[in-house]
């Protein structure tokens, strides 16, 4: 994508792809660190903005009946997103935090489409080759298939 040159930092080569809006879905597991690190490197190289998105999965119960429950999850998500965003901000990267409610795949793909995302970077679990899953087994696989923007899966 880019080649580092001497000077103040990496400069994109002419004619190469430069990402300006990078979306990183976060579920607050340790595996997210790989995706955040990769997004940080890409953002630093192209002065891109990183959006951290967390989707609070909703139940098939009217939202109003679960409002207190979702509010607690929202408050926790804000705190945890702040912890992920802080080192990025300290590194000089512009960070946007977004919390969404619904089903993870449509929310991630929809947010990317609606907000002009250039790249989605997300973590993906390693699959057992001796027992491969059938169908669209993982969130990361579904996002990679359905997104209209490039997707970088970190394992």
């Amino acid at each position: 994508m880019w080649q580092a040159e001497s000077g103040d930092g990496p400069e994109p080569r002419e004619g190469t792809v430069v990402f300006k809006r990078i979306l990183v879905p976060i579920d607050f597991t340790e595996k997210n660190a790989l995706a955040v690190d990769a997004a940080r490197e890409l953002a630093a190289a192209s002065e891109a903005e990183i959006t951290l998105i967390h989707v609070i999965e909703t139940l098939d119960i009217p939202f109003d009946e679960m409002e207190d429950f979702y509010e607690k999850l929202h408050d926790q998500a804000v705190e945890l997103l702040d912890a992920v965003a802080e080192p990025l901000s300290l590194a000089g990267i512009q960070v946007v935090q977004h919390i969404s409610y619904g089903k993870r795949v449509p929310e991630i793909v929809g947010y990317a489409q609606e907000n002009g995302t250039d790249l989605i970077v997300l973590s993906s679990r390693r699959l057992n080759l001796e027992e491969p899953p059938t169908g669209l087994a993982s969130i990361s696989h579904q996002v990679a298939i359905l997104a209209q923007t490039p997707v970088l899966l970190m394992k």
Side-chain angles (χ1 to χ4, degrees), residues 3 9 13 43 49 64 89 109-110 144 148 152:
Q3 178 177 344
R13 289 187 302 178
E49 167 187 282
D64 295 348
S89 294
V109 171
Q148 301 298 305
L152 175 62

Side-chain angles (χ1 to χ4, degrees), residues 22-88:
I22 300 171
L23 181 65
V24 183
I26 301 287
D27 65 4
F28 307 122
T29 58
E30 288 185 23
K31 67 182 179 188
N32 292 154
L34 288 173
V36 172
D37 289 345
R40 183 186 66 242
E41 289 181 28
L42 290 166
S46 59
E47 298 178 2
E49 167 187 282
I50 293 177
T51 298
L52 303 173
I53 183 171
H54 175 69
V55 179
I56 296 174
E57 189 92 17
T58 55
L59 304 172
D60 293 329
I61 298 172
F63 193 88
D64 295 348
E65 291 180 26
M66 302 294 292
E67 192 168 348
D68 290 341
F69 173 72
Y70 291 132
E71 187 174 323
K72 288 177 185 175
L73 292 177
H74 183 273
D75 292 345
Q76 288 176 335
V78 167
E79 187 176 312
L80 293 168
L81 279 175
D82 284 344
V84 175
E86 183 177 12
L88 297 170

